[in-house]
Amino acid sequence: MAAYTGMDNGSPALPRSLEDVRITGLPPVAFYISDFITAEEEKILLAKIAAAPKPRWKQLTHRRLQTWPSDLVNNKLVDAPLPVWLQEPVISRLKSIPISRDQASSHVFCDSPHGAPNHVLVNEYPPGIGIMPHKDGSAYHPVVCTVSLGGSLCLNIHKTKVDGTLDTEPIWRILQEPRSLLITSADLYTEYLHGIADIAEDIGLSEHSIANWGLLRDSASFAEGRSQRLTRTSLTYRDVMSVARLGNKFSFLQKR
Ligand SMILES: O=C(O)CCC(=O)C(=O)O
Ligand SMILES: [Fe+2]
């Protein structure tokens, strides 16, 4: 049976199950879907991000980010829905793909506390700018879904050396194309670090160096082994484990 289900009316062809798009050769578990959203959906998402009110952006030294629905406070999320443009089409599509063909009702968030992501980070990376190797920590259920927009870049996976310090040389590299979805979880979440190099071009790309080479939409375009960075915006979907109700402190303000 074909690995992909063909769909029309503006939806991409999604894999029949995540096991069809598993990045083999990486520690458990990672999946890569090259065409998770359409070019039209990518355009709409980028326009929504650009239209967000200015105070939504947190400016770091070299890049900026948005946090939806809000920043965490003491590793807790204040209960609030994600805006509809971050729910649709991404979350319903994530939940529509079974983990394996014989578990039709399973999906990547079915074991997470809220059964779906409740938090999205929008990270914008101009060419030359990345993010230091890090772990995402204990606030989130250990499943990370990243939708890439605008440009390609490599996510580097690092291990810690026996003395506990970071091995600055990545042990694996995952190439993320625009409109793709990368799912990382389990050991990749808890045991390894991930980061993006501060470079204007990713080099040394080949089937030997890139873990998801066989799952790329267009590996031919990287045949020279190089990929010029453009501005790449990512949507990082996660389930924050602890959600705090705002309480009824202000209930006297609400109309009965
Ligand atoms: O932009 C990315 O793909 C990675 C972002 C990330 O690692 C984070 O925000 O924790
Ligand atoms: Fe991260």
Side-chain angles (χ1 to χ4, degrees), residues 54-72:
K54 196 131 192 267
R56 269 282 165 194
W57 287 107
K58 182 188 289 178
Q59 183 67 50
L60 307 180
T61 312
H62 298 294
R63 61 182 188 86
R64 52 184 195 161
L65 66 137
Q66 296 177 9
T67 313
W68 294 91
S70 58
D71 285 338
L72 303 190

Side-chain angles (χ1 to χ4, degrees), residues 82-226:
L82 287 166
V84 172
W85 62 271
L86 284 171
Q87 295 182 37
E88 297 295 337
V90 170
I91 294 182
S92 51
R93 207 166 283 168
L94 281 174
K95 292 174 72 175
S96 76
I97 308 173
I99 293 176
S100 71
R101 292 193 195 189
D102 42 283
Q103 292 173 272
S105 59
S106 66
H107 61 76
V108 69
F109 281 100
C110 63
D111 292 331
S112 90
H114 306 97
N118 57 13
H119 191 258
V120 182
L121 269 187
V122 178
N123 280 301
E124 185 188 71
Y125 303 89
I129 301 303
I131 185 170
M132 293 259 292
H134 65 278
K135 287 185 183 179
D136 286 354
S138 59
Y140 307 97
H141 178 71
V143 169
V144 183
C145 292
T146 308
V147 178
S148 292
L149 311 170
S152 298
L153 53 65
C154 283
L155 185 76
N156 294 331
I157 308 295
H158 298 261
K159 62 175 167 36
T160 37
K161 294 191 282 197
V162 276
D163 64 5
T165 61
L166 170 76
D167 190 341
T168 53
E169 198 57 42
I171 38 173
W172 293 287
R173 295 161 76 200
I174 304 168
L175 183 52
Q176 292 171 276
E177 301 166 289
R179 303 184 291 287
S180 69
L181 171 72
L182 173 67
I183 303 177
T184 54
S185 68
D187 283 12
L188 275 174
Y189 188 97
T190 49
E191 307 298 320
Y192 296 88
L193 295 88
H194 56 278
I196 296 167
D198 292 325
I199 51 180
E201 189 179 33
D202 287 289
I203 59 171
L205 311 177
S206 75
E207 60 185 309
H208 306 294
S209 64
I210 298 299
N212 58 325
W213 188 261
L215 294 167
L216 293 173
R217 170 194 310 134
D218 187 15
S219 57
S221 68
F222 308 114
E224 309 277 290
R226 317 178 80 90

